[in-house]
Amino acid sequence: MKLGSPFRPRLLSALLISIFLGSAPSTLAQERGELRIATSYKLMTLDPQYANLNENTSLLSHIYERLVYQDENLELKPGLATSWRPLSDTQWAFKLRDKVRFHDGSAFDADDVVYTIERIRDFLKPPSGGFRSYVSGIKSVSAPDPLTVLIETDGAVPNLPLFFSSIFVMNRPAEGVETTEDLNAGHPPNGTGPYRFESWSSGESLRLARNDDYWGGKPAWSKVTFRVIENPAARVAALSTGEVDVADAIPARDVASLKERGARVASVGAARVNFVQFDVARDTLPGVTDKSGEPIANPFKNPLVRRALTLATDRGILVDKILAGYGTAAAQVFPNGLPGTSANLLPEAPNYDEAKMLLAKADFPDGFNLVLAGPAGRYPGDAESLQAVAQSWARIGVNAQPAAAPFSVFNTKRAAGDYGVWYGGTSGEAVDIILHTLLASPDPERGTGALNFGKYRNEAFDAMLARAESIAVGPERNAALAQATELVMADQPIIPLYHFHHIVGYGSRIGSYLLHPRGWTTAMQTLPAME
């Protein structure tokens, strides 16, 4: 079992930053025709502010850009904003990049940033308002001049620039507010990014054309086509036969065979966590019964049961067997060593005897039955992980029936409350972002708990997290986040399983592929081979 952090300093930091911003050196930006990418990411909408999901973030980053960019060490770098500074505890000033134009030729200015913030905060509502938590604390936003944005917050928001590293800037329309329906129905997306929108077939493809007027320099590829191939084996086959130049989310088990066929592989540890989450709120749960099939009171309300299932989970099998070493066992939301993580939280080896004792103490000496839901084909090893966890839990008398479904089906059913316990995954810009959305008590007004589908509530944790979020970025904030993490993980509202590694394969037309720990798949990361 690999317990160390997969993150290492890299010498290509400056180059990676320039490529993600689209301003690769001119020697790399030679025209190379069409780039063909097979992706697991199924773009769900053309609205860049509708849903905070990696598929939207990744693919729409070709068209839209952010004020602030997060590099491969999760450090903040200038994007459409060249600088930012706090004027007081509740005021910030952002200076914007000059001579930037949207794809329709209109100039980018501060009014577009004002519109972007107000659209997310005041127009889009949950569940469509997946980015609302980033701007819910903004009291007012104004544009004193075309290249300056002033923001006043309700209270201290020391992490405000980090929030803007997730928000795509939209162009203010001549009147009104563009709706998600308008964008999906044919209003052409209008961003400032290195590629222009050409066409989109939901669930099938996204076609892009180079933005020759891009402020960051001429992009390397004249055309980019993303083919949505959700089946991992089909993505591998498409790369092996030369149908595509790049394939993302390569299963670890296929790395060796791809290399044998001449493809190359890049990998990086993911700034994310995959986990089991419990519904701890309802009195009874779908799919949870006693051994005779009769409904029982929700066992996950009892922390002893949650602890027992944690002790009965073999992370070593998940990392070493299912992920073939391309993963790190998890005990918290980010890999150890990243800002805000706790050095005291380490993955535990399974202890089935102690787990059985805890179940007996919780009045479940014979265990119980449950349905363990999860997506199939979204994360590396997801369906196999369901099987492995179920086999581990069977050793303490908890009979889990794995129920894998396509992500769109799983996501809909999870949100509707059709599951009592499930396997999931999430990523974020920083530890506090994931804690804020996954484990903080659900509160639409504060924007917390958007991914807390289990309705877990812990007032002590909420208070510790709020205190940590009030501290300026630095060692004190990191220590406070680590303490909050230790408190909530002791209560086991989720079982952290692993931090998988992003694996991308690429063919002979590609010189190199520079991965980012957030797991984005973009043409900007793809450098053409020098002929």
Side-chain angles (χ1 to χ4, degrees):
M1 183 187 301
K2 298 183 178 180
L3 302 182
S5 168
F7 289 85
R8 301 178 300 277
R10 287 185 280 277
L11 297 177
L12 293 176
S13 175
L15 179 60
L16 182 57
I17 294 168
S18 70
I19 290 169
F20 265 91
L21 290 174
S23 55
S26 59
T27 56
L28 296 176
Q30 301 175 29
E31 183 174 339
R32 294 297 188 217
E34 182 182 10
L35 174 66
R36 304 160 303 168
I37 300 177
T39 181
S40 60
Y41 289 145
K42 183 178 180 180
L43 184 62
M44 302 177 71
T45 176
L46 291 178
D47 187 337
Q49 297 165 358
Y50 179 82
N52 190 7
L53 296 171
N54 234 22
E55 47 264 66
N56 298 334
T57 298
S58 179
L59 299 184
L60 293 180
S61 68
H62 295 80
I63 301 170
Y64 297 96
E65 296 182 289
R66 311 166 181 87
L67 291 180
V68 181
Y69 166 71
Q70 197 173 31
D71 73 7
E72 89 285 8
N73 293 315
L74 307 187
E75 299 291 341
L76 300 181
K77 304 294 180 183
L80 290 176
T82 58
S83 65
W84 50 89
R85 64 188 179 94
L87 303 179
S88 69
D89 286 346
T90 58
Q91 291 182 316
W92 285 84
F94 286 76
K95 292 294 182 180
L96 305 183
R97 195 174 296 276
D98 196 8
K99 299 179 180 178
V100 174
R101 292 196 172 274
F102 287 93
H103 296 160
D104 67 355
S106 60
F108 160 72
D109 62 24
D111 198 39
D112 299 305
V113 179
V114 173
Y115 168 73
T116 290
I117 293 171
E118 291 180 342
R119 181 178 188 263
I120 296 172
R121 186 192 62 188
D122 304 331
F123 183 77
L124 296 179
K125 305 297 182 184
S128 61
F131 295 89
R132 192 166 180 240
S133 63
Y134 298 130
V135 299
S136 60
I138 294 177
K139 182 178 181 181
S140 65
V141 54
S142 60
D145 64 66
L147 296 179
T148 303
V149 175
L150 293 180
I151 294 175
E152 183 175 357
T153 59
D154 288 320
V157 186
N159 226 19
L160 188 65
L162 177 64
F163 292 167
F164 285 126
S165 72
S166 287
I167 295 173
F168 288 122
V169 176
M170 295 181 68
N171 181 224
R172 181 187 286 276
E175 58 182 32
V177 176
E178 277 192 294
T179 68
T180 300
E181 292 73 22
D182 289 339
L183 288 165
N184 290 339
H187 283 206
N190 183 29
T192 61
Y195 291 91
R196 300 171 182 267
F197 174 81
E198 279 203 338
S199 67
W200 170 57
S201 179
S202 179
E204 294 182 10
S205 65
L206 174 68
R207 299 183 187 277
L208 307 166
R210 183 175 57 208
N211 176 14
D212 288 324
D213 299 322
Y214 182 56
W215 63 265
K218 188 176 181 181
W221 306 95
S222 61
K223 299 278 187 180
V224 179
T225 297
F226 283 90
R227 287 177 52 193
V228 179
I229 304 178
E230 294 186 87
N231 183 278
R235 286 195 303 276
V236 171
L239 178 61
S240 299
T241 59
E243 294 178 40
V244 298
D245 303 302
V246 176
D248 66 14
I250 297 295
R253 63 177 177 271
D254 292 317
V255 168
S257 63
L258 272 178
K259 289 181 177 179
E260 289 174 359
R261 299 173 200 171
R264 286 174 287 173
V265 170
S267 69
V268 69
R272 62 172 306 118
V273 65
N274 283 69
F275 53 85
V276 170
Q277 189 172 33
F278 304 103
D279 184 324
V280 299
R282 289 180 287 176
D283 293 333
T284 60
L285 298 174
V288 179
T289 70
D290 62 19
K291 289 299 183 68
S292 64
E294 294 298 319
I296 59 174
N298 182 353
F300 308 128
K301 287 188 173 187
N302 191 329
L304 295 178
V305 173
R306 303 196 298 267
R307 176 62 179 158
L309 292 173
T310 299
L311 286 172
T313 302
D314 191 342
R315 297 173 178 87
I317 289 178
L318 302 178
V319 170
D320 297 334
K321 302 298 183 183
I322 294 174
L323 299 179
Y326 283 91
T328 306
Q332 53 192 312
V333 297
F334 265 10
N336 286 29
L338 284 180
T341 57
S342 169
N344 298 322
L345 292 176
L346 299 173
E348 297 178 276
N351 188 329
Y352 300 107
D353 290 338
E354 184 176 349
K356 289 179 181 178
M357 291 174 58
L358 290 174
L359 277 186
K361 190 174 181 180
D363 294 328
F364 294 101
D366 299 322
F368 50 89
N369 298 337
L370 60 84
V371 174
L372 178 60
R378 178 169 177 83
Y379 309 114
D382 49 14
E384 297 92 336
S385 293
L386 285 180
Q387 296 284 347
V389 171
Q391 290 172 9
S392 290
W393 289 358
R395 296 183 61 171
I396 63 169
V398 175
N399 296 328
Q401 177 186 342
F407 179 72
S408 58
V409 175
F410 164 78
N411 198 36
T412 300
K413 288 190 172 184
R414 178 178 60 178
D418 289 354
Y419 304 134
V421 55
W422 55 90
Y423 162 99
T426 188
S427 62
E429 304 86 342
V431 162
D432 52 303
I433 299 294
I434 296 185
L435 295 177
H436 191 89
T437 57
L438 183 64
L439 296 173
S441 299
D443 186 337
E445 292 302 317
R446 294 180 55 234
T448 58
L451 297 180
N452 184 353
F453 295 106
K455 308 302 182 187
Y456 172 75
R457 295 182 179 275
N458 185 326
E459 292 183 1
F461 167 68
D462 290 340
M464 291 183 71
L465 179 60
R467 176 186 173 276
E469 292 178 322
S470 72
I471 303 171
V473 173
E476 184 182 354
R477 180 189 182 95
N478 292 339
L481 288 171
Q483 291 172 0
T485 300
E486 290 172 7
L487 175 74
V488 73
M489 286 305 161
D491 205 23
Q492 312 275 192
I494 64 171
I495 303 176
L497 298 177
Y498 53 76
H499 315 286
F500 66 72
H501 295 182
H502 298 297
I503 308 174
V504 169
Y506 55 96
S508 60
R509 296 182 65 233
I510 310 303
S512 63
Y513 188 92
L514 301 179
L515 273 162
H516 192 281
R518 293 286 304 280
W520 298 319
T521 302
T522 75
M524 294 82 79
Q525 297 163 258
T526 311
L527 304 185
M530 296 294 104
E531 298 176 354

